[in-house]
Every structure is written in C-alpha cells, then in structure tokens.
Amino acid sequence: MWPNGSSPGPCFRPTNITLEERRLIASPWFAASFCLVGLASNLLALSVLAGARQGGSHARSSFLTFLCGLVLTDFMGLLVTGVIVVSQHAILFDWRAVDPGCRLCQFMGVIMVFFGLCPLWLGTAMASERYLGITRPFSRPAAASQRRAWATVGLVWGSALALGLLPLLGVGRYTVQYPGSWCFLTLGAQPGDVAFGLLFSLLGSFSVGLSFLLNTVSVATLCHVYHGQEAAQQRPRDCEVEMMAQLTGIMVVASICWMPLLGLAVTVAPGSPPPASVSGAVDSLTHLFFQQTCPE
C-alpha cells in the first residue's frame, strides 16, 4: 500500500520495510569504507599500470591497455554508484519523495548495468587477446595492437551503455530494490522484463563461459610450451605466465561474484512472477553484491 493514496512512479514497487529496519540494514560507514578501500586500490593499480606501460614490451601493450580500461571502469563504477548509495544510507531519504519521476532511479539502473557488464566483457576481450597472443603470436602487427585495444575498450563501453539504455526505450524496467537504496533491472512476468532480464543474464553468462574456455586453452598451451622447451628457450614466456596468472585471478573473482546472480536471473526471468522466497533471495543476493561491490 502506498502512503497517502499517492500514485507511485513506474520504478516503485510496494514494500513493507520501515525506516527503522532500513537504518538497521543499511550502514553508511560500511558502505563508505568499502568504497574508499576500492577507490584507493584502483588508484594504486592505475599508478602501477602507468609505470608498467612506460617500460612494457609490445607483447604486453594490448593486455595492459585492457587492464587499464578494466581498472578505470571499476574505479568510475565505485565512484558514481558509491556517491548515490552512501548518500542514501547516510540520510535515509525517501526515494518516492526525492525522485518521484524516477529519473535518478533510471540513471542508477543504467550505470549499474553498464558498470556490471563492462568488467565481464573486458575480461573476455583480455582472454581473447591472450589466446591470440599465445596460440597465434604472429597473426597481427604489434604496432597497431595498442590502438586496436583502446578501440575495443571503447566498443565495450558503447555496447554496455546501449544495453543499459534499453529500459528507457521500453524494453524492461528499472525499479527501486531492497532495502530502497539502489535501482536495478526488474525480474517480472512482463514481456519487456523477461526479454531484458534474459538478455542481460545470457550475455553475462556467455562472457564468463567464453573467458573460461579461452583461458583454459591458453593455460594448456603455455604448459605444453614449458614442458616441450629447454629452460633457456622458456625465458621469453615468463611474461605470458604472469599475464595469464593475473587474468585467471580476474576470471575467478568475476565468476564467484556474478554466476549466482546471473543463474538466478535466468531461472526467474522466463516464468511467471517469482514466489516470495525466490524474490527475496534475488533481492538479498543482488543487494549483497552491489552494496559490497565485489572487486573485479
């Protein structure tokens, strides 16, 4: 039931949570601390990457460009979403009163989808680059690799933004999520919600799966090379091992953070409205993931 008989905007759903419950659930200090640690870590990573790029070889230039794009994307995602979430936790504003037209909610929904999919797609681009660099090292000119990498990063950003804008064009909806401090896509029975939920989930799942496949082949190829060459011939491959270790770590973290959410979205999206238990699980899982901002 809505207060005072008012008509809610399209991004609001009935909720029974009280202000006191929100105060107990939402900790501004925890959210702010987590965001500050993440921002500081990303700034440190950017400074290290800046030094590595100056003295890096052509073999690492594309990988470092993708890694720089990934860290920059994570930094901006923490900064933009953190400002909204921490502010909401700090003052516990009523979203219906502050944003009756749902413009802030739609903006946050777009950036949540954008900053959520970009790391997965960039991880796939990095896996593809390492796969080609290891299995077909002479298939592309080294001089153009860095420009091509930046163009790929731009393409990933543009594609993720275009996907995030679909609910503004009528495909899917962004709604305020539990406990009322953030907005994300809606898992409902409406055709637009089903289509957008499936599209988001399948693209994310495909990205994680493709990264796993390419990284597995790359690691197997490196193992074969190391076991089939003398130690003196293995030295040039040391940087390849370092890059694959970093990429494998990124893939593992992304899989742990994303696959439970993507799996639930695929399960719920095709059917009728989810039951209360499933809906609560989705709300709790997505709230835990996005509020704590699992590192990329």
Side-chain angles (χ1 to χ4, degrees):
M1 181 178 297
W2 301 100
N4 301 326
S6 59
S7 177
C11 64
F12 299 109
R13 297 180 296 176
T15 177
N16 294 323
I17 189 170
T18 64
L19 183 62
E20 185 61 29
E21 290 173 337
R22 289 174 58 193
R23 184 177 289 108
L24 293 174
I25 294 173
S27 171
W29 302 111
F30 177 80
S33 300
F34 207 97
C35 286
L36 288 176
V37 171
L39 292 173
S41 301
N42 283 323
L43 286 176
L44 178 61
L46 287 173
S47 64
V48 172
L49 285 173
R53 285 170 59 85
Q54 292 177 358
S57 61
H58 286 300
R60 302 186 63 185
S61 61
S62 295
F63 182 82
L64 292 178
T65 298
F66 286 126
L67 190 56
C68 183
L70 177 63
V71 174
L72 183 61
T73 301
D74 191 53
F75 175 83
M76 292 303 300
L78 278 171
L79 181 63
V80 178
T81 58
V83 169
I84 300 176
V85 173
V86 173
S87 299
Q88 207 285 335
H89 284 349
I91 62 178
L92 293 176
F93 62 77
D94 184 355
W95 205 297
R96 290 189 296 273
V98 173
D99 184 35
C102 293
R103 294 183 179 180
L104 178 60
C105 183
Q106 290 175 346
F107 170 76
M108 189 172 190
V110 171
I111 63 175
M112 292 293 259
V113 170
F114 175 81
F115 289 119
L117 285 179
C118 275
L120 297 180
W121 290 355
L122 287 174
T124 302
M126 294 167 69
S128 302
E129 191 276 337
R130 282 296 80 215
Y131 171 80
L132 293 175
I134 292 173
T135 62
R136 295 182 174 86
F138 304 108
S139 64
R140 48 201 181 139
S145 60
Q146 188 171 352
R147 293 195 301 270
R148 184 160 44 230
W150 277 120
T152 303
V153 172
L155 179 62
V156 167
W157 286 344
S159 300
L161 180 61
L163 182 68
L165 291 174
L166 285 180
L168 277 63
L169 302 177
V171 182
R173 292 175 299 156
Y174 292 125
T175 53
V176 179
Q177 305 291 325
Y178 179 88
S181 59
W182 61 296
C183 290
F184 195 50
L185 61 86
T186 305
L187 298 179
Q190 296 184 16
D193 296 339
V194 173
F196 187 62
L198 282 176
L199 182 62
F200 175 84
S201 302
L202 293 178
L203 285 175
S205 301
F206 176 77
S207 178
V208 173
L210 182 59
S211 297
F212 179 82
L213 176 62
L214 294 176
N215 288 335
T216 301
V217 174
S218 299
V219 170
T221 303
L222 280 180
C223 291
H224 176 74
V225 169
Y226 263 72
H227 283 86
Q229 291 183 343
E230 298 296 333
Q233 295 174 309
Q234 295 171 7
R235 288 292 183 183
R237 290 283 184 171
D238 287 347
C239 66
E240 303 283 2
V241 175
E242 178 187 347
M243 287 186 284
M244 282 309 305
Q246 294 172 344
L247 188 54
T248 301
I250 293 172
M251 182 193 69
V252 170
V253 172
S255 300
I256 293 174
C257 290
W258 273 99
M259 291 312 298
L261 173 61
L262 294 174
L264 274 176
V266 170
T267 302
V268 173
S272 57
S277 58
V278 176
S279 180
V282 172
D283 280 345
S284 299
L285 181 60
T286 50
H287 172 252
L288 177 64
F289 172 75
F290 284 110
Q291 299 298 346
Q292 296 185 1
T293 316
C294 199
E296 307 299 343

